[in-house]
Amino acid sequence: MLINVFVPKFHTEEVLEEIRQCLDKGWTGVGFKTVEFEEKWKEYVGIKNAHFLNSNTAGLHLAVRVLKKKFGWKNGDEIITTPLTFVSTNHAILYENLKPVFADVDQYLCLDPKSVESKITKKTKAVMFVGIGGNTGKYLEIVKLCKKHGLKLILDAAHMAGTKINGKHVGSEADVAVFSFQAIKNLPTSDSGMICFADDGLDKKAWKLSWMGISKDTYKRFNNNKGGYKWKYDVEDVGFKYHGNAVAAAIALVQLKYLEEDNSRRREIAALYDKLLEGVKGVEIVRTAPDCVSSRHLYQICVNNRDEIMQYFYDNDIYPGVHYTDNTEYKMYSYAKGSCPNAHKKSEQLITLPIHLRLKDSECKKVVEVLLEGLKKFSK
Ligand SMILES: Cc1ncc(COP(=O)(O)O)c(C=O)c1O
């Protein structure tokens, strides 16, 4: 049996029942279940605004776009960001002709506040923080830093569904938090995401931009407005087709019910890895920040000879992941190559061990066994 890094678990019968409601009603687009899920999500994360989108990538783009427009940022203005992320984070900055300025990461693989502060210039407008693997790192220091320097804070919370900081769900401290419900995330759907603005006005702008810049959505037109003019709307902006749909929201509604339970199991797996790897020479475990209860989207370690060890895993039918390649190694971001030495070093050592809800304890033990063999074989 092969062991994969991620395998999503769906509550199939319950999900099918929710989807059936969409089909029976004849409503699979925006509205109906999307509205219901937004309400449930707001309650769960304790943020007063939420809009369901077709991805986190769309949400990050909207976040940057809405802030740029509201605060009059100019092309070429800067957002400080991390090189250790999926490229969506940084592409979202480029979509709006702003410049990603890379700061280095700390021991948690999140932005290091000291490095961030050293990168602030007159052109800096915002910080984009990624809670990698569900970890908060020194996020609260970044929140303070942004306040001190008058910078906006965008939280790429793609991995953070269920992450708590000092006992409270993460997200409300940022100007905008964007979650991912992509196929292998902690709350998996087919593909979707959520944008949560702190400010009501910006939230309204994001909603409008997610549906082509149109002033009323189809569901509102369908449900309200009993009189005439159901068909009538204005187009107030050049928006995008970024909203989510009722079928994805139907999946999300069920998965949300199990998120706490699912994340507890993920933390159990992480604790088992911690125990099995305790004191193992040649393995550095990426620890969770002390004030964080992580969603445990990832369990990451650093090793030397990473590529050989990965190959050894593959030879044994185990398929771990790597999160991520230092983005400044990519052609698009090579202008910043060498600017973040710690992120670069870590990105050559990182392995994400398999962590998902179908993984048995015996399989975790097998993963560690193979890792130890690999370390022995390839240790320099
Ligand atoms: C850190 C990070 N940001 C953004 C994204 C993009 O999310 P989505 O696939 O929902 O657009 C991902 C997805 O893998 C991610 O890992």
Side-chain angles (χ1 to χ4, degrees):
M1 267 290 273
L2 63 83
I3 304 177
N4 262 320
V5 61
F6 302 129
V7 185
K9 181 177 149 199
F10 292 100
H11 299 268
T12 310
E13 292 310 316
E14 271 187 76
V15 165
L16 289 176
E17 185 44 46
E18 284 288 331
I19 294 177
R20 182 186 304 282
Q21 290 175 27
C22 299
L23 302 179
D24 287 348
K25 188 180 171 76
W27 200 282
T28 53
V30 62
F32 183 39
K33 292 287 171 193
T34 65
V35 178
E36 197 181 329
F37 181 52
E38 285 166 356
E39 291 308 313
K40 291 262 159 64
W41 186 254
K42 285 192 259 186
E43 200 181 305
Y44 176 66
V45 292
I47 309 179
K48 62 182 168 156
N49 298 304
H51 281 303
F52 190 58
L53 300 173
N54 58 31
S55 70
N56 160 293
T57 306
L60 292 174
H61 179 205
L62 283 183
V64 176
R65 176 139 183 136
V66 166
L67 291 171
K68 184 185 183 198
K69 209 162 172 195
K70 169 76 183 176
F71 297 103
W73 300 348
K74 304 274 181 301
N75 288 349
D77 280 347
E78 298 169 357
I79 296 186
I80 298 176
T81 182
T82 171
L84 220 55
T85 186
F86 185 61
V87 287
S88 292
T89 316
N90 295 319
H91 280 13
I93 301 170
L94 288 183
Y95 292 156
E96 287 301 315
N97 299 310
L98 300 167
K99 184 177 176 194
V101 170
F102 294 94
D104 214 341
V105 301
D106 56 21
Q107 71 271 32
Y108 304 112
L109 307 179
C110 292
L111 278 177
D112 176 353
K114 281 202 184 77
S115 177
V116 169
E117 196 154 28
S118 75
K119 303 278 171 141
I120 296 173
T121 70
K122 284 203 174 91
K123 288 189 163 187
T124 309
K125 302 296 176 197
V127 173
M128 176 80 88
F129 188 91
V130 177
I132 188 166
N135 207 343
T136 52
K138 295 179 190 156
Y139 172 65
L140 292 180
E141 284 185 45
I142 298 281
V143 172
K144 275 196 202 134
L145 197 72
C146 286
K147 288 211 169 94
K148 179 175 150 196
H149 292 275
L151 304 175
K152 299 292 160 203
L153 177 56
I154 304 166
L155 178 65
D156 178 349
H159 300 177
M160 299 179 108
T163 286
K164 316 268 174 16
I165 191 160
N166 294 329
K168 187 166 155 259
H169 200 289
V170 78
S172 57
E173 322 71 14
D175 291 282
V176 53
V178 188
F179 296 88
S180 174
F181 311 126
Q182 181 262 346
I184 51 85
K185 295 295 190 289
N186 288 42
L187 195 160
T189 64
S190 35
D191 228 348
S192 58
M194 191 75 91
I195 187 165
C196 303
F197 264 105
D199 179 87
D200 296 347
L202 299 185
D203 166 68
K204 285 205 178 65
K205 288 245 181 317
W207 167 77
K208 206 178 357 149
L209 285 178
S210 75
W211 171 225
M212 307 307 289
I214 289 172
S215 57
K216 304 181 207 169
D217 79 22
T218 353
Y219 193 63
K220 282 193 193 125
R221 279 191 278 135
F222 179 80
N223 277 296
N224 308 331
N225 200 359
K226 285 262 184 298
Y229 302 109
K230 273 180 182 298
W231 48 271
K232 200 159 186 171
Y233 58 77
D234 196 5
V235 182
E236 299 166 346
D237 237 311
V238 182
F240 306 90
K241 181 82 166 110
Y242 278 174
H243 62 76
N245 67 64
V247 175
I251 304 175
L253 275 165
V254 176
Q255 296 298 122
L256 177 58
K257 283 201 246 169
Y258 296 95
L259 183 61
E260 284 292 312
E261 186 183 320
D262 290 354
N263 285 352
S264 295
R265 172 62 188 150
R266 285 171 176 278
R267 286 190 289 273
E268 238 175 66
I269 293 171
L272 179 58
Y273 277 137
D274 279 349
K275 195 169 133 210
L276 295 170
L277 293 171
E278 193 62 54
V280 171
K281 254 182 92 186
V283 175
E284 187 194 326
I285 299 169
V286 178
R287 304 286 179 185
T288 301
D291 49 4
C292 171
V293 175
S294 171
S295 65
R296 270 298 178 189
H297 179 57
L298 305 178
Y299 185 91
Q300 294 174 287
I301 58 168
C302 294
V303 293
N304 290 327
N305 306 93
R306 191 266 317 273
D307 295 356
E308 285 97 333
I309 289 171
M310 284 295 274
Q311 187 56 51
Y312 191 69
F313 271 126
Y314 296 164
D315 295 343
N316 284 276
D317 262 350
I318 296 173
Y319 297 88
V322 170
H323 299 89
Y324 292 90
T325 297
D326 168 5
N327 283 196
T328 70
E329 286 294 305
Y330 298 135
K331 208 185 254 172
M332 281 309 308
Y333 300 102
S334 56
Y335 61 85
K337 198 176 163 120
S339 61
C340 302
N342 195 38
H344 186 74
K345 182 170 159 232
K346 297 286 187 210
S347 97
E348 296 197 321
Q349 298 178 328
L350 279 169
I351 298 181
T352 300
L353 297 184
I355 184 160
H356 58 78
L357 300 165
R358 299 175 195 226
L359 196 70
K360 300 189 189 89
D361 287 4
S362 58
E363 291 173 313
C364 295
K365 287 179 186 148
K366 171 81 185 158
V367 169
V368 171
E369 238 173 72
V370 171
L371 172 65
L372 297 182
E373 286 166 22
L375 283 167
K376 212 164 168 187
K377 224 166 147 129
F378 301 107
S379 62
K380 272 184 196 158

